[in-house]
Amino acid sequence: MTLLNTGKAFAESYPRAIALNNSVYLVSDVKIDINNIGKEMGKIQRQRAPMPKKNGESNDIPVGSLIFEIKDINSLDAVAVKLDNKFYFASQKNFNTK
């Protein structure tokens, strides 16, 4: 049995998230225009349920997905995640992931 799925129960329990810069970013459905995308910062290396804890982890974003800076936004506040050739806004949240 796996906890990683896009089913309704999972989506209601845990937000889509990535870990980068020793922080957790919540991935939204807000798309970012490619002209606002900066340098590549990393990629998802493994999945972890229910929430990511270490840099390069995600609970729902596929392994290999790339993470980018957003122009004119501090990467400690927000980054972009590339999924299906689209970029999505992910904002940092300060909460304990343990």
Side-chain angles (χ1 to χ4, degrees):
M1 184 173 126
T2 181
L3 296 177
L4 295 176
N5 63 57
T6 56
K8 186 175 180 180
F10 181 80
E12 289 176 3
S13 300
Y14 295 98
R16 188 177 248 197
I18 62 171
L20 184 74
N21 298 329
N22 298 312
S23 298
V24 172
Y25 295 76
L26 302 184
V27 182
S28 74
D29 292 331
V30 176
K31 293 177 188 163
I32 303 170
D33 186 273
I34 193 167
N35 294 321
N36 293 322
I37 300 300
K39 292 188 281 184
E40 182 181 321
M41 297 180 65
K43 70 178 177 179
I44 300 303
Q45 299 170 352
R46 63 197 155 277
Q47 289 191 326
R48 180 185 183 107
M51 289 294 284
K53 292 184 179 183
K54 296 181 181 177
N55 292 335
E57 292 182 339
S58 173
N59 61 355
D60 192 46
I61 304 298
V63 170
S65 297
L66 299 176
I67 304 165
F68 294 85
E69 292 177 335
I70 302 171
K71 291 179 183 174
D72 300 322
I73 295 180
N74 186 327
S75 62
L76 295 177
D77 295 328
V79 295
V81 178
K82 186 176 183 181
L83 295 168
D84 300 322
N85 291 318
K86 296 177 182 136
F87 297 91
Y88 293 89
F89 187 83
S91 61
Q92 194 233 59
K93 296 291 181 187
N94 293 318
F95 62 88
N96 189 345
T97 59
K98 292 181 183 177

